[in-house]
Amino acid sequence: VMRRNPFGMDICCRKGSRSPLQELYNPTQVSLSSTAILHQIRRDQVTDTCRANSVSSRKRRVLTPNDLKHLVVDEDHELIYCYVPKVACTNWKRVMMVLTGRGKYSDPMEIPANEAHVSSNLKTLNQYSIPEINHRLKNYMKFLFVREPFERLVSAYRNKFTQKYNTSFHKRYGTKIVRRQRKNATQEALRKGDDVKFEEFVAYLIDPHTQREEPFNEHWQTVYSLCHPCHIHYDLIGKYETLEEDSNYVLQLAGVGNYLKFPTYAKSTRTTDEMTTEFFQNISSLHQTQLYEVYKLDFLMFNYSVPSYLKLE
C-alpha cells in the first residue's frame, strides 16, 4: 500500500521534518532560494501598498470568524490557503483535499469539481477557537493566488452570466441587474435574468446602492476583501500568470513535491487579455474609471499595471 500510494506514506511521516515556513524563509535547497527572492518582492509590494493606503483604513478593524471562511487549513502540512474564485481555486481545493485526505485521494483530477466545492470536504480557519486561529496564523505557511483583476472579473462574468446552466446566478443577481440597469426590460428578462450584458454588470458593480446593499459575491469580490492581506501576513503570493511554477513551489515547500504536481490543463475557454480588452471596448471611460477605483487596491497590491485598453478619466 505504501508503495502504491506514496502520498499516504508522506502524510503520515511529515512531522519531525522542517515546516514549509522554515523551508520558505531559510531554504535548504539552492533551487528554492532564487524563487524565495521573487516571493519576498511580492510580499514587500503588499506590505508597502497596505502602508500607503492605511490612511483610508485607519480604523484597523479586528477580523471576525466570517472574515476567515476563505482560509482552508491543512494540519498535516501546516498550510493555510486563501481561495479566490476564478484563480484556479477548484484545482487548488482538489489539491488541498489530497493533502488533507490522509491517503483517501491521490490524484486531484479524479475529484469531481462540484465535490471540491462542498464546504464540509475542507476545514476552514473560522471553525477554530481564537487561540487555535492565532497559533495557526503564526506557525503555518499562508498562501493565496491572484490574477489580473479585470481578467478575473471578465472570467466571472462569462462563467456566471453567459452559461445557460447557471440559473441560480441568473435568478439571484441577473434579475436584480436587469431590473436596476435596463430601461424597458421585457417581462421575460426580468423573470429569467439570463441575458445580462457586460455593460450592465459593470454598472451594477459601480452602483453605490450595490455596495451598500450587501457584500459583493465572492466571484467578483476583491482579493483585498476576501483574504485580508493587510491584516493577515501571507508568506507566499502565487500568480495565475505563473500558476504552475508557483503552485509546484508551494508543494515543494510542503515536502510533497515528489508525489504531487499541480494539475495542468490547457483550457480553450480560458479568459485571456485579448478577450478582456474586447469586453471593455463598450464600457464608457467614466465607468472604466469608477470600476478601476473599486479594484484599485488589487491592482496595486499585486503589482498589476493599469491595462493599456483602459481610457481613465
Side-chain angles (χ1 to χ4, degrees):
V1 172
M2 286 302 188
R3 201 159 42 249
R4 200 175 71 232
N5 181 6
F7 205 77
M9 177 180 73
D10 178 67
I11 285 182
C12 79
C13 313
R14 160 108 198 111
K15 293 288 172 260
S17 53
R18 285 161 58 86
S19 75
L21 214 49
Q22 292 168 318
E23 201 53 71
L24 173 67
Y25 291 106
N26 303 294
T28 46
Q29 298 172 43
V30 179
S31 62
L32 295 181
S33 49
S34 59
T35 316
I37 296 165
L38 165 74
H39 286 280
Q40 179 62 56
I41 293 167
R42 289 182 186 172
R43 281 196 298 275
D44 291 346
Q45 177 76 24
V46 171
T47 307
D48 294 347
T49 308
C50 291
R51 201 170 287 138
N53 291 278
S54 66
V55 188
S56 56
S57 60
R58 189 52 55 80
K59 314 179 283 297
R60 193 189 156 96
R61 64 192 192 81
V62 175
L63 293 178
T64 65
N66 197 41
D67 293 322
L68 305 174
K69 62 177 190 283
H70 273 249
L71 280 78
V72 175
V73 181
D74 170 7
E75 295 288 354
D76 292 299
H77 302 87
E78 302 189 347
L79 298 173
I80 294 176
Y81 159 59
C82 184
Y83 69 89
V84 178
K86 308 314 298 172
V87 193
C89 92
T90 305
N91 278 353
W92 255 112
K93 283 181 175 180
R94 285 170 163 145
V95 168
M96 292 300 278
M97 281 173 73
V98 173
L99 288 170
T100 58
R102 309 211 164 186
K104 188 176 167 189
Y105 311 96
S106 58
D107 178 2
M109 293 317 278
E110 280 177 5
I111 302 171
N114 58 344
E115 205 176 310
H117 295 294
V118 174
S119 56
S120 58
N121 283 333
L122 290 165
K123 193 157 189 196
T124 47
L125 197 57
N126 58 340
Q127 295 169 15
Y128 292 84
S129 70
I130 288 171
E132 289 172 332
I133 288 170
N134 290 334
H135 170 78
R136 281 155 186 76
L137 284 175
K138 191 169 156 213
N139 297 293
Y140 288 14
M141 185 175 86
K142 301 165 294 300
F143 68 98
L144 77 161
F145 275 77
V146 299
R147 182 178 186 177
E148 202 281 338
F150 285 170
E151 203 177 286
R152 177 176 164 242
L153 190 66
V154 169
S155 176
Y157 166 77
R158 289 178 65 219
N159 178 249
K160 298 304 171 197
F161 294 108
T162 69
Q163 303 291 338
K164 288 291 169 224
Y165 62 81
N166 263 324
T167 48
S168 62
F169 267 82
H170 303 157
K171 280 265 183 289
R172 168 112 203 254
Y173 296 101
T175 52
K176 189 186 288 181
I177 293 170
V178 169
R179 189 175 68 243
R180 206 180 287 170
Q181 307 300 339
R182 190 179 302 177
K183 290 186 175 72
N184 310 320
T186 64
Q187 283 307 308
E188 188 183 22
L190 288 165
R191 194 179 75 251
K192 284 188 170 171
D194 64 352
D195 65 343
V196 170
K197 297 183 183 70
F198 186 64
E199 300 88 287
E200 294 171 329
F201 178 53
V202 169
Y204 162 78
L205 293 174
I206 58 179
D207 183 347
H209 185 247
T210 305
Q211 313 251 6
R212 283 195 302 270
E213 189 174 58
E214 58 180 349
F216 276 4
N217 176 278
E218 59 175 21
H219 290 85
W220 47 87
Q221 180 61 282
T222 60
V223 178
Y224 170 75
S225 303
L226 285 176
C227 295
H228 313 285
C230 290
H231 296 79
I232 294 170
H233 173 81
Y234 286 92
D235 304 290
L236 205 136
I237 295 146
K239 294 204 161 188
Y240 191 74
E241 295 75 16
T242 47
L243 178 63
E244 237 173 288
E245 304 94 289
D246 293 345
S247 298
N248 288 322
Y249 177 56
V250 172
L251 297 174
Q252 257 181 301
L253 292 168
V256 299
N258 298 343
Y259 313 115
L260 184 60
K261 290 279 175 279
F262 192 77
T264 60
Y265 62 105
K267 239 177 135 186
S268 54
T269 56
R270 190 177 267 197
T271 302
T272 60
D273 183 46
E274 293 75 41
M275 214 180 271
T276 306
T277 306
E278 266 176 56
F279 272 91
F280 272 85
Q281 274 175 344
N282 298 330
I283 307 295
S284 71
S285 57
L286 173 64
H287 280 190
Q288 287 187 5
T289 306
Q290 290 172 313
L291 191 69
Y292 179 75
E293 280 304 315
V294 174
Y295 292 93
K296 186 178 177 178
L297 276 178
D298 280 6
F299 275 101
L300 296 174
M301 202 168 273
F302 307 118
N303 206 17
Y304 288 107
S305 48
V306 177
S308 56
Y309 55 78
L310 282 194
K311 311 179 287 285
L312 297 182
E313 294 204 334

